[in-house]
Amino acid sequence: MSSSHHHSDQHRRLVLKALLWLTLFGGVCFSAINIMRENWILAVLELSYSFISLYCLLVINRSENLRTLTIIYLVPFFTLMMVILFQPRTSFSVFAWIQTIPIIFYLLLGLRLGLWGSLLFIGIGLFAFSQRFTSDNQVTNILILANLGAAALSVTLFSHIYERSRLRNEQRLTELATTDSLTGLANRMRLADVFEREINHAKRNRTPLALVFLDIDHFKLINDRYGHKAGDKALCHFAQLLSGRLRSGDLFCRLGGEEFAVLLPNTSAEQAATIAHSLCERLAATPLELEGRPLPMTLSAGVASFGEDGELLDELMQVADRRTYSAKRTGRNRVVTEDGHEQPLAAT
């Protein structure tokens, strides 16, 4: 699960819990009131829904599909509300609950379902009001209904604007938190998020998954000789150049400094080695233009494979990192796929 989705899910889980507790106690109280008023139908409905709320409270923490649980709870909840609105023995004050419909829908179900759910149940609520409230003055009837409808639709509009703004801000913050500011590549946090998704896919479909570490050779010499601005240009050149050689489903990350990683779904260790070799060749064949002169760059790479070298991200990173440094110790500009099996490029 991605960070943004995880935080949104936790937020909605807390809101749903609060609503469940409210309807649990509210249902018990209102059913008791209706029993005293001998309104047996509403009493039974409200008491039954209290038990539904209690059940949802018991399973909410272990429920993996929060949206389904929310819909299972909300549809009967608002249906019961509409039934109450149509009852001739209920007070007109119950129509104040119409204002809560868009707030609850948007908080728990987001933009699309929030909009359609709000319009549906607000429409039914306004129709119930028009059937129950009548006076001798038709103009007065229209004005009251128009005011109630305008208030409900205003709350819907504000809820829609708020939810859309919240989602955009959340997405923007997530993007900032998971993107390397210099190169624009994904960072370590994003790698961890995507890795969780990809290992679940690999286990479920029994497909390979590989991780490649990339380290720019002699990067410290570039910084020492040309300065940190040149080093930043070298990093950006590296990121932009190699990004174009990867597939759309691959994840290219900057881990920090001159260290990078590529997560390769549906890729065996042999295929990952081939991709790593192509990246080495691409970089060696395209030097950085610095101060009007070409600056040759090379990289060393280490490959780790899910299952063979570990099942956790940290395990694969340790193996790939170790093999990368093995490549650097044995001459650089080469790919290591197994411990003790260095593969220098043919061109070097």
Side-chain angles (χ1 to χ4, degrees):
M1 180 183 294
S2 67
S3 296
S4 60
H5 185 227
H6 174 74
H7 292 314
S8 182
D9 188 74
Q10 289 298 103
H11 167 75
R12 287 174 177 161
R13 199 178 296 268
L14 290 173
V15 173
L16 181 57
K17 281 183 180 180
L19 185 59
L20 287 170
W21 281 112
L22 180 64
T23 53
L24 173 61
F25 290 111
V28 171
C29 293
F30 284 118
S31 64
I33 293 172
N34 281 309
I35 288 173
M36 290 187 291
R37 297 174 62 186
E38 297 184 352
N39 194 340
W40 304 107
I41 295 177
L42 285 184
V44 171
L45 288 174
E46 289 169 338
L47 191 59
S48 298
Y49 208 71
S50 295
F51 284 107
I52 294 176
S53 300
L54 179 60
Y55 168 77
C56 291
L57 279 169
L58 293 175
V59 302
I60 188 172
N61 286 331
R62 60 178 183 270
S63 174
E64 295 183 0
N65 197 332
L66 182 64
R67 171 164 289 193
T68 300
L69 181 65
T70 303
I71 293 174
I72 290 172
Y73 166 78
L74 281 186
V75 172
F77 174 76
F78 284 113
T79 300
L80 176 60
M81 182 186 294
M82 296 302 107
V83 171
I84 294 172
L85 294 182
F86 277 103
Q87 293 296 306
R89 298 178 62 183
T90 56
S91 169
F92 283 112
S93 61
V94 75
F95 284 94
W97 285 94
I98 291 177
Q99 311 300 326
T100 68
I101 292 174
I103 298 173
I104 293 172
F105 262 112
Y106 275 99
L107 283 176
L108 293 178
L109 293 177
L111 281 176
R112 183 181 301 175
L113 291 178
L115 176 61
W116 291 113
S118 297
L119 294 178
L120 173 63
F121 283 101
I122 286 175
I124 297 173
L126 293 176
F127 177 74
F129 186 86
S130 70
Q131 296 300 302
R132 289 196 54 196
F133 183 86
T134 56
S135 70
D136 296 334
N137 191 325
Q138 189 65 22
V139 175
T140 301
N141 292 341
I142 294 174
L143 286 175
I144 294 175
L145 184 62
N147 277 304
L148 181 61
L153 292 176
S154 295
V155 176
T156 301
L157 177 62
F158 297 147
S159 298
H160 189 86
I161 293 172
Y162 168 79
E163 181 66 13
R164 184 172 62 180
S165 176
R166 186 190 69 81
L167 285 175
R168 286 180 176 176
N169 289 335
E170 186 177 85
Q171 290 169 356
R172 178 58 179 161
L173 289 174
T174 300
E175 182 181 341
L176 290 173
T178 58
T179 303
D180 177 61
S181 58
L182 176 63
T183 62
L185 298 178
N187 63 11
R188 189 183 292 262
M189 182 184 297
R190 176 65 176 161
L191 173 62
D193 283 343
V194 175
F195 181 80
E196 288 301 316
R197 184 187 70 215
E198 292 299 339
I199 60 168
N200 290 332
H201 181 273
K203 290 177 180 178
R204 184 169 58 251
N205 298 286
R206 297 182 179 180
T207 54
L209 176 66
L211 180 71
V212 179
F213 255 46
L214 307 171
D215 193 293
I216 301 176
D217 295 329
H218 301 298
F219 181 74
K220 187 176 183 299
L221 295 180
I222 298 176
N223 271 332
D224 291 344
R225 181 174 180 179
Y226 299 101
H228 290 288
K229 287 186 177 180
D232 289 346
K233 288 182 179 180
L235 292 171
C236 292
H237 172 75
F238 181 89
Q240 293 170 5
L241 186 66
L242 300 191
S243 294
R245 293 299 296 268
L246 295 171
R247 302 165 301 184
S248 59
D250 300 334
L251 182 69
F252 192 15
C253 313
R254 183 188 177 200
L255 303 176
E258 70 274 25
E259 294 183 340
F260 296 78
V262 185
L263 186 64
L264 301 169
N266 301 310
T267 306
S268 65
E270 293 77 13
Q271 292 170 327
T274 300
I275 293 172
H277 276 296
S278 70
L279 297 178
C280 288
E281 292 169 351
R282 170 84 169 185
L283 182 64
T286 315
L288 169 67
E289 289 293 329
L290 191 64
E291 298 178 356
R293 293 178 297 176
L295 177 64
M297 293 175 62
T298 60
L299 65 86
S300 299
V303 177
S305 181
F306 174 70
E308 297 178 10
D309 297 311
E311 296 191 352
L312 301 177
L313 178 59
D314 286 344
E315 293 173 344
L316 296 183
M317 290 178 70
Q318 288 176 5
V319 172
D321 188 36
R322 183 175 69 243
R323 290 172 181 171
T324 300
Y325 278 93
S326 175
K328 296 180 82 68
R329 287 194 303 270
T330 54
R332 296 183 172 85
N333 194 26
R334 61 189 64 209
V335 178
V336 175
T337 57
E338 297 179 33
D339 294 327
H341 289 74
E342 295 76 19
Q343 301 177 25
L345 296 182
T348 60

mmCIF file of all heavy atoms in Angstrom, residues 48-75:
data_model
loop_
_atom_site.group_PDB
_atom_site.id
_atom_site.type_symbol
_atom_site.label_atom_id
_atom_site.label_comp_id
_atom_site.label_asym_id
_atom_site.label_seq_id
_atom_site.Cartn_x
_atom_site.Cartn_y
_atom_site.Cartn_z
ATOM 1 N N SER A 48 -31.905 -2.648 15.525
ATOM 2 C CA SER A 48 -31.207 -3.569 14.615
ATOM 3 C C SER A 48 -29.945 -2.922 14.065
ATOM 4 O O SER A 48 -28.889 -3.560 13.962
ATOM 5 C CB SER A 48 -32.135 -3.970 13.456
ATOM 6 O OG SER A 48 -33.275 -4.648 13.941
ATOM 7 N N TYR A 49 -30.051 -1.633 13.750
ATOM 8 C CA TYR A 49 -28.876 -0.965 13.195
ATOM 9 C C TYR A 49 -27.794 -0.747 14.239
ATOM 10 O O TYR A 49 -26.608 -0.665 13.910
ATOM 11 C CB TYR A 49 -29.261 0.362 12.546
ATOM 12 C CG TYR A 49 -28.296 0.701 11.441
ATOM 13 C CD1 TYR A 49 -28.320 -0.026 10.253
ATOM 14 C CD2 TYR A 49 -27.322 1.674 11.597
ATOM 15 C CE1 TYR A 49 -27.422 0.224 9.252
ATOM 16 C CE2 TYR A 49 -26.416 1.926 10.596
ATOM 17 C CZ TYR A 49 -26.470 1.202 9.423
ATOM 18 O OH TYR A 49 -25.565 1.428 8.437
ATOM 19 N N SER A 50 -28.182 -0.683 15.499
ATOM 20 C CA SER A 50 -27.186 -0.612 16.573
ATOM 21 C C SER A 50 -26.338 -1.880 16.585
ATOM 22 O O SER A 50 -25.123 -1.829 16.793
ATOM 23 C CB SER A 50 -27.876 -0.425 17.929
ATOM 24 O OG SER A 50 -28.533 0.810 17.988
ATOM 25 N N PHE A 51 -26.977 -3.026 16.342
ATOM 26 C CA PHE A 51 -26.233 -4.284 16.295
ATOM 27 C C PHE A 51 -25.316 -4.328 15.065
ATOM 28 O O PHE A 51 -24.207 -4.861 15.135
ATOM 29 C CB PHE A 51 -27.201 -5.465 16.285
ATOM 30 C CG PHE A 51 -27.805 -5.761 17.629
ATOM 31 C CD1 PHE A 51 -29.128 -5.466 17.895
ATOM 32 C CD2 PHE A 51 -27.042 -6.322 18.647
ATOM 33 C CE1 PHE A 51 -29.683 -5.721 19.139
ATOM 34 C CE2 PHE A 51 -27.583 -6.598 19.896
ATOM 35 C CZ PHE A 51 -28.912 -6.285 20.140
ATOM 36 N N ILE A 52 -25.785 -3.774 13.937
ATOM 37 C CA ILE A 52 -24.926 -3.692 12.748
ATOM 38 C C ILE A 52 -23.699 -2.829 13.043
ATOM 39 O O ILE A 52 -22.574 -3.170 12.671
ATOM 40 C CB ILE A 52 -25.712 -3.124 11.551
ATOM 41 C CG1 ILE A 52 -26.819 -4.095 11.124
ATOM 42 C CG2 ILE A 52 -24.775 -2.845 10.370
ATOM 43 C CD1 ILE A 52 -27.710 -3.564 10.019
ATOM 44 N N SER A 53 -23.904 -1.709 13.733
ATOM 45 C CA SER A 53 -22.790 -0.832 14.102
ATOM 46 C C SER A 53 -21.819 -1.545 15.025
ATOM 47 O O SER A 53 -20.595 -1.408 14.887
ATOM 48 C CB SER A 53 -23.325 0.434 14.781
ATOM 49 O OG SER A 53 -24.190 1.136 13.930
ATOM 50 N N LEU A 54 -22.347 -2.308 15.964
ATOM 51 C CA LEU A 54 -21.488 -3.054 16.883
ATOM 52 C C LEU A 54 -20.657 -4.080 16.128
ATOM 53 O O LEU A 54 -19.452 -4.226 16.381
ATOM 54 C CB LEU A 54 -22.346 -3.744 17.947
ATOM 55 C CG LEU A 54 -21.589 -4.598 18.977
ATOM 56 C CD1 LEU A 54 -20.593 -3.736 19.754
ATOM 57 C CD2 LEU A 54 -22.568 -5.290 19.914
ATOM 58 N N TYR A 55 -21.279 -4.765 15.176
ATOM 59 C CA TYR A 55 -20.548 -5.751 14.376
ATOM 60 C C TYR A 55 -19.413 -5.074 13.596
ATOM 61 O O TYR A 55 -18.280 -5.585 13.564
ATOM 62 C CB TYR A 55 -21.501 -6.451 13.411
ATOM 63 C CG TYR A 55 -20.774 -7.276 12.366
ATOM 64 C CD1 TYR A 55 -20.234 -8.513 12.689
ATOM 65 C CD2 TYR A 55 -20.620 -6.782 11.064
ATOM 66 C CE1 TYR A 55 -19.551 -9.258 11.729
ATOM 67 C CE2 TYR A 55 -19.939 -7.525 10.101
ATOM 68 C CZ TYR A 55 -19.402 -8.756 10.446
ATOM 69 O OH TYR A 55 -18.720 -9.479 9.498
ATOM 70 N N CYS A 56 -19.715 -3.942 12.962
ATOM 71 C CA CYS A 56 -18.691 -3.225 12.197
ATOM 72 C C CYS A 56 -17.539 -2.780 13.092
ATOM 73 O O CYS A 56 -16.374 -2.816 12.686
ATOM 74 C CB CYS A 56 -19.307 -2.023 11.490
ATOM 75 S SG CYS A 56 -20.435 -2.454 10.142
ATOM 76 N N LEU A 57 -17.842 -2.370 14.309
ATOM 77 C CA LEU A 57 -16.793 -1.967 15.254
ATOM 78 C C LEU A 57 -15.885 -3.141 15.604
ATOM 79 O O LEU A 57 -14.679 -2.968 15.795
ATOM 80 C CB LEU A 57 -17.418 -1.396 16.524
ATOM 81 C CG LEU A 57 -17.878 0.055 16.466
ATOM 82 C CD1 LEU A 57 -18.719 0.409 17.689
ATOM 83 C CD2 LEU A 57 -16.685 1.002 16.365
ATOM 84 N N LEU A 58 -16.464 -4.332 15.677
ATOM 85 C CA LEU A 58 -15.684 -5.505 16.043
ATOM 86 C C LEU A 58 -14.747 -5.952 14.930
ATOM 87 O O LEU A 58 -13.694 -6.553 15.194
ATOM 88 C CB LEU A 58 -16.624 -6.660 16.420
ATOM 89 C CG LEU A 58 -17.451 -6.454 17.700
ATOM 90 C CD1 LEU A 58 -18.427 -7.615 17.896
ATOM 91 C CD2 LEU A 58 -16.540 -6.317 18.912
ATOM 92 N N VAL A 59 -15.121 -5.685 13.666
ATOM 93 C CA VAL A 59 -14.314 -6.190 12.542
ATOM 94 C C VAL A 59 -13.499 -5.111 11.842
ATOM 95 O O VAL A 59 -12.662 -5.429 10.994
ATOM 96 C CB VAL A 59 -15.221 -6.892 11.496
ATOM 97 C CG1 VAL A 59 -15.994 -8.032 12.135
ATOM 98 C CG2 VAL A 59 -16.166 -5.906 10.816
ATOM 99 N N ILE A 60 -13.699 -3.836 12.184
ATOM 100 C CA ILE A 60 -13.095 -2.757 11.406
ATOM 101 C C ILE A 60 -11.573 -2.783 11.442
ATOM 102 O O ILE A 60 -10.912 -2.494 10.445
ATOM 103 C CB ILE A 60 -13.628 -1.382 11.873
ATOM 104 C CG1 ILE A 60 -13.149 -0.289 10.918
ATOM 105 C CG2 ILE A 60 -13.222 -1.088 13.310
ATOM 106 C CD1 ILE A 60 -13.784 1.058 11.179
ATOM 107 N N ASN A 61 -10.979 -3.168 12.576
ATOM 108 C CA ASN A 61 -9.518 -3.131 12.677
ATOM 109 C C ASN A 61 -8.841 -4.207 11.846
ATOM 110 O O ASN A 61 -7.689 -4.049 11.432
ATOM 111 C CB ASN A 61 -9.090 -3.272 14.135
ATOM 112 C CG ASN A 61 -9.337 -2.004 14.928
ATOM 113 O OD1 ASN A 61 -9.303 -0.904 14.377
ATOM 114 N ND2 ASN A 61 -9.607 -2.137 16.211
ATOM 115 N N ARG A 62 -9.542 -5.306 11.588
ATOM 116 C CA ARG A 62 -8.933 -6.377 10.801
ATOM 117 C C ARG A 62 -9.489 -6.461 9.386
ATOM 118 O O ARG A 62 -9.133 -7.376 8.638
ATOM 119 C CB ARG A 62 -9.095 -7.719 11.512
ATOM 120 C CG ARG A 62 -10.516 -8.153 11.777
ATOM 121 C CD ARG A 62 -10.536 -9.533 12.437
ATOM 122 N NE ARG A 62 -11.878 -10.030 12.650
ATOM 123 C CZ ARG A 62 -12.593 -9.827 13.724
ATOM 124 N NH1 ARG A 62 -12.079 -9.105 14.716
ATOM 125 N NH2 ARG A 62 -13.809 -10.328 13.851
ATOM 126 N N SER A 63 -10.360 -5.531 9.033
ATOM 127 C CA SER A 63 -10.926 -5.529 7.688
ATOM 128 C C SER A 63 -9.910 -4.969 6.698
ATOM 129 O O SER A 63 -9.392 -3.864 6.876
ATOM 130 C CB SER A 63 -12.210 -4.685 7.655
ATOM 131 O OG SER A 63 -12.688 -4.564 6.348
ATOM 132 N N GLU A 64 -9.604 -5.730 5.628
ATOM 133 C CA GLU A 64 -8.654 -5.282 4.619
ATOM 134 C C GLU A 64 -9.314 -4.386 3.581
ATOM 135 O O GLU A 64 -8.670 -3.529 2.992
ATOM 136 C CB GLU A 64 -8.016 -6.496 3.933
ATOM 137 C CG GLU A 64 -7.155 -7.335 4.868
ATOM 138 C CD GLU A 64 -6.482 -8.483 4.148
ATOM 139 O OE1 GLU A 64 -6.693 -8.615 2.930
ATOM 140 O OE2 GLU A 64 -5.748 -9.239 4.810
ATOM 141 N N ASN A 65 -10.610 -4.589 3.342
ATOM 142 C CA ASN A 65 -11.319 -3.782 2.350
ATOM 143 C C ASN A 65 -12.230 -2.799 3.076
ATOM 144 O O ASN A 65 -13.418 -3.062 3.296
ATOM 145 C CB ASN A 65 -12.126 -4.678 1.407
ATOM 146 C CG ASN A 65 -12.542 -3.950 0.146
ATOM 147 O OD1 ASN A 65 -12.709 -2.731 0.148
ATOM 148 N ND2 ASN A 65 -12.724 -4.689 -0.936
ATOM 149 N N LEU A 66 -11.654 -1.659 3.457
ATOM 150 C CA LEU A 66 -12.389 -0.676 4.243
ATOM 151 C C LEU A 66 -13.545 -0.078 3.446
ATOM 152 O O LEU A 66 -14.614 0.184 4.000
ATOM 153 C CB LEU A 66 -11.441 0.429 4.721
ATOM 154 C CG LEU A 66 -12.067 1.515 5.598
ATOM 155 C CD1 LEU A 66 -12.570 0.934 6.908
ATOM 156 C CD2 LEU A 66 -11.064 2.634 5.871
ATOM 157 N N ARG A 67 -13.344 0.140 2.144
ATOM 158 C CA ARG A 67 -14.398 0.761 1.340
ATOM 159 C C ARG A 67 -15.647 -0.119 1.290
ATOM 160 O O ARG A 67 -16.761 0.379 1.422
ATOM 161 C CB ARG A 67 -13.893 1.040 -0.076
ATOM 162 C CG ARG A 67 -14.984 1.486 -1.035
ATOM 163 C CD ARG A 67 -14.435 2.118 -2.276
ATOM 164 N NE ARG A 67 -13.853 3.422 -2.005
ATOM 165 C CZ ARG A 67 -13.526 4.298 -2.955
ATOM 166 N NH1 ARG A 67 -13.719 4.005 -4.224
ATOM 167 N NH2 ARG A 67 -12.994 5.458 -2.634
ATOM 168 N N THR A 68 -15.470 -1.423 1.114
ATOM 169 C CA THR A 68 -16.618 -2.327 1.080
ATOM 170 C C THR A 68 -17.364 -2.308 2.407
ATOM 171 O O THR A 68 -18.601 -2.244 2.442
ATOM 172 C CB THR A 68 -16.160 -3.763 0.759
ATOM 173 O OG1 THR A 68 -15.520 -3.778 -0.521
ATOM 174 C CG2 THR A 68 -17.330 -4.723 0.742
ATOM 175 N N LEU A 69 -16.608 -2.359 3.513
ATOM 176 C CA LEU A 69 -17.236 -2.306 4.840
ATOM 177 C C LEU A 69 -17.988 -0.994 5.025
ATOM 178 O O LEU A 69 -19.090 -0.970 5.591
ATOM 179 C CB LEU A 69 -16.169 -2.457 5.926
ATOM 180 C CG LEU A 69 -16.682 -2.433 7.383
ATOM 181 C CD1 LEU A 69 -17.572 -3.650 7.644
ATOM 182 C CD2 LEU A 69 -15.510 -2.404 8.363
ATOM 183 N N THR A 70 -17.410 0.099 4.532
ATOM 184 C CA THR A 70 -18.052 1.402 4.652
ATOM 185 C C THR A 70 -19.370 1.453 3.883
ATOM 186 O O THR A 70 -20.380 1.950 4.383
ATOM 187 C CB THR A 70 -17.111 2.512 4.136
ATOM 188 O OG1 THR A 70 -15.887 2.473 4.866
ATOM 189 C CG2 THR A 70 -17.745 3.884 4.310
ATOM 190 N N ILE A 71 -19.362 0.913 2.656
ATOM 191 C CA ILE A 71 -20.588 0.903 1.852
ATOM 192 C C ILE A 71 -21.651 0.025 2.500
ATOM 193 O O ILE A 71 -22.835 0.382 2.539
ATOM 194 C CB ILE A 71 -20.276 0.426 0.418
ATOM 195 C CG1 ILE A 71 -19.390 1.455 -0.293
ATOM 196 C CG2 ILE A 71 -21.555 0.204 -0.377
ATOM 197 C CD1 ILE A 71 -18.898 1.012 -1.653
ATOM 198 N N ILE A 72 -21.228 -1.133 3.018
ATOM 199 C CA ILE A 72 -22.169 -2.033 3.697
ATOM 200 C C ILE A 72 -22.827 -1.329 4.876
ATOM 201 O O ILE A 72 -24.010 -1.555 5.188
ATOM 202 C CB ILE A 72 -21.434 -3.308 4.169
ATOM 203 C CG1 ILE A 72 -21.043 -4.155 2.955
ATOM 204 C CG2 ILE A 72 -22.286 -4.112 5.142
ATOM 205 C CD1 ILE A 72 -20.161 -5.331 3.306
ATOM 206 N N TYR A 73 -22.073 -0.464 5.539
ATOM 207 C CA TYR A 73 -22.624 0.274 6.672
ATOM 208 C C TYR A 73 -23.459 1.474 6.235
ATOM 209 O O TYR A 73 -24.557 1.714 6.756
ATOM 210 C CB TYR A 73 -21.481 0.737 7.581
ATOM 211 C CG TYR A 73 -21.912 1.781 8.586
ATOM 212 C CD1 TYR A 73 -22.620 1.434 9.729
ATOM 213 C CD2 TYR A 73 -21.620 3.130 8.376
ATOM 214 C CE1 TYR A 73 -23.026 2.395 10.637
ATOM 215 C CE2 TYR A 73 -22.026 4.092 9.274
ATOM 216 C CZ TYR A 73 -22.728 3.721 10.409
ATOM 217 O OH TYR A 73 -23.131 4.679 11.295
ATOM 218 N N LEU A 74 -22.954 2.249 5.274
ATOM 219 C CA LEU A 74 -23.594 3.526 4.944
ATOM 220 C C LEU A 74 -24.922 3.387 4.209
ATOM 221 O O LEU A 74 -25.858 4.151 4.473
ATOM 222 C CB LEU A 74 -22.644 4.380 4.093
ATOM 223 C CG LEU A 74 -21.526 5.117 4.811
ATOM 224 C CD1 LEU A 74 -20.783 6.012 3.842
ATOM 225 C CD2 LEU A 74 -22.061 5.947 5.976
ATOM 226 N N VAL A 75 -25.019 2.447 3.277
ATOM 227 C CA VAL A 75 -26.262 2.327 2.501
ATOM 228 C C VAL A 75 -27.457 2.033 3.398
ATOM 229 O O VAL A 75 -28.481 2.730 3.332
ATOM 230 C CB VAL A 75 -26.104 1.279 1.379
ATOM 231 C CG1 VAL A 75 -27.445 1.018 0.705
ATOM 232 C CG2 VAL A 75 -25.081 1.763 0.343
#
